[in-house]
Amino acid sequence: MEETKDLIQQRRDKLDEIRKFGVEPYPHKYEPTHTSSAIHQDFGEIQETPDDTQPIRVAGRIMTKRDHGKSSFAHLQDGEGRIQIYVRRDKVGAEPYKIYRRFDSGDIIGVEGVVFRTRTGELTVLASAIQLLSKSIRPLPEKWHGLQDKQTRYRQRYADLIMNPEVKDVFLKRTQIVQAIRDMLNSQGFIEVETPVLQPIYGGANARPFTTYHNTLEQPLYLRIANELYLKRLIVGGFERVYEFSRDFRNEGMDRDHNPEFTMLELYQAYADYHQIMALTETLIADTSEIIHGTTKIHYQEHDIDFTPPWRRVSMVDAVREYSGIDPGPLSPDELYTAAVNVGVELVGDETKGKVIAELFDAFVEPKLIQPTFIMDHPIEVSPFAKKKPENPEFVERFEFFISGMEVGNAFSELNDPVDQRQRFLEQANSLAAGDDEAFMMDEDYLRALEYGMPPTGGLGIGIDRLTMLLTNQYSIRDVILFPQMRPEN
RNA sequence: GAGCCGUUAGCUCAGCUGGUAGAGCAUCUGACUUUUAAUCAGGUGGUCACAGGUUCGAUCCCUGUACGGCUCACCA
């Protein structure tokens, strides 16, 4: 950055001056006795007279500095908040005060002193000793408006986190959300496992993969688009309740709810069907909201959302009929196709009836599903790992759930009939041959696993990024991913 | 991939109909021992994203490029 060179040069000059005082600007350690919030807790009652009996040490980044000749106020920011410090030349000594005058906002310092309350009532550390812990040579953004530019905020998340406490709060909440879900699953006997990110055969979802190459094996490998097939192998192996927070990679477009790498929770429960998984899903998410917010009613963007179970359950066909006015039930494939085209759905012409139903759903229903809603019983053509409905083999036992017009999760009664599964793979292989680059690859080893026998199993995937968006009221997935994907700067 | 919008000092932003750029904060100098957007006085700081074009003259108009945002498409 040529433009900042002057300001950086000024700070480098100060660095040299500080060294001339015999001070090492980048020491190896410091031992604080208190965090900022611990000071606020322990000394909340204190009045204007300093408590000389309890000296403390606190460390943090100088965020503001107000020099007044022979004394100075500053605010330190640490991992938990801010605390004001008061530095007086007569308390720290003439030379240390000279050194302190060369400190800038952004510098990280340690302060030893006693706690008191100023005339205006602010809890403050009266410094007796100050130590530079790290000199900052790049100026912080402006103190009042913070860092606003989205591009800089995403590219330099560190600066965003320093300047915008509400951003830090979002990511703290994200961690709490994951932790809450993990705790709940663990308490229900689920086992957390790790499965391959590098896969010789990708599968479990419809998406184009990222491809890489292993030099020693001399073979292409794919970054996983899902971990579904590995987790179900573990069900075959006898782990009856498994889950994984999986970083998945899909080589698709990016927008407000898609990042090329994202986090999905997948879980599988032996002997359960999708009705049980529905109950687990609504409880899991309602309880997560309760843990994070103390309530199951939240505000997301312009909507009030109520996670309180039970959520609405509606079949995809019924939802299409309700929102599009087209009842797919009695129509022939040709009639449905014509009806869909007439209401403006763009189709290429070779869609099956089930595909058209799914297209009508995407166009007319999905954006309208604001309150948590289970959409059930998808067409079989779009659901190659779900079990057929016993009474109607054109549809499967599957559900997706939608909140605020966004798909947040996907689940089914897992297909465990190896012969049926092979047939579904073959249909996918035909699509692949016909040019559908998002169709599945045949996975013989997965079929072999199913041939050993997989118990009836319910499976679930939840988009953790999207769930975090909802629970932190963030509009874009980039605001819940610490380092979202960006084009190179130059 | 398409459309619309944006890119001006370290940061946040103004800049009218085309006449070679401003503010606040930051920074620097000086004053100041209870301030907190400290205050007061005085300074420094710009390839107006980049490259072309039109024009006597372009931050401003036109074209292209880069990056970003939003919307749509693709996509769960």
Side-chain angles (χ1 to χ4, degrees), chain A residues 452-471:
Chain A
Y452 279 103
M454 182 171 84
T457 298
L460 167 67
I462 296 179
I464 294 298
D465 311 274
R466 291 178 182 181
L467 179 63
T468 303
M469 288 166 65
L470 291 167
L471 290 174

Side-chain angles (χ1 to χ4, degrees), chain A residues 131-143:
Chain A
Q131 187 178 353
L132 180 59
L133 303 178
S134 182
K135 180 72 188 154
S136 161
I137 61 168
R138 182 176 292 271
L140 288 177
E142 198 242 1
K143 64 188 172 193

Side-chain angles (χ1 to χ4, degrees), chain A residues 145-156 160 164:
Chain A
H145 299 90
L147 181 60
Q148 299 293 330
D149 182 67
K150 281 195 173 169
Q151 183 164 186
T152 311
R153 289 185 42 222
Y154 296 149
R155 289 190 195 281
Q156 303 180 31
D160 190 24
N164 298 316

Side-chain angles (χ1 to χ4, degrees), chain A residues 363-419:
Chain A
F364 288 94
V365 187
E366 177 166 352
K368 304 228 174 66
L369 300 176
I370 304 304
Q371 296 305 316
T373 305
F374 291 118
I375 295 293
M376 317 162 49
D377 301 344
H378 295 54
I380 190 167
E381 302 95 305
V382 296
S383 314
F385 294 108
K387 234 178 203 173
K388 290 169 188 161
K389 288 189 72 70
E391 70 277 13
N392 185 349
E394 291 177 25
F395 294 92
V396 295
E397 289 199 350
R398 175 179 178 187
F399 71 83
E400 295 174 298
F401 65 99
F402 295 84
I403 304 168
S404 192
M406 193 160 60
E407 188 210 334
V408 182
N410 182 23
F412 13 95
S413 297
E414 303 294 337
L415 178 56
N416 62 345
D417 174 343
V419 177

Side-chain angles (χ1 to χ4, degrees), chain A residues 308-327:
Chain A
T308 313
W311 299 353
R312 185 179 178 213
R313 289 154 163 78
V314 55
S315 77
M316 182 174 275
V317 167
D318 287 346
V320 166
R321 183 170 52 230
E322 179 181 337
Y323 288 92
S324 76
I326 297 170
D327 183 2

Side-chain angles (χ1 to χ4, degrees), chain A residues 89-100:
Chain A
R89 194 173 70 169
D90 61 3
K91 293 280 182 190
V92 298
E95 183 163 302
Y97 194 75
K98 263 188 214 167
I99 297 167
Y100 169 82

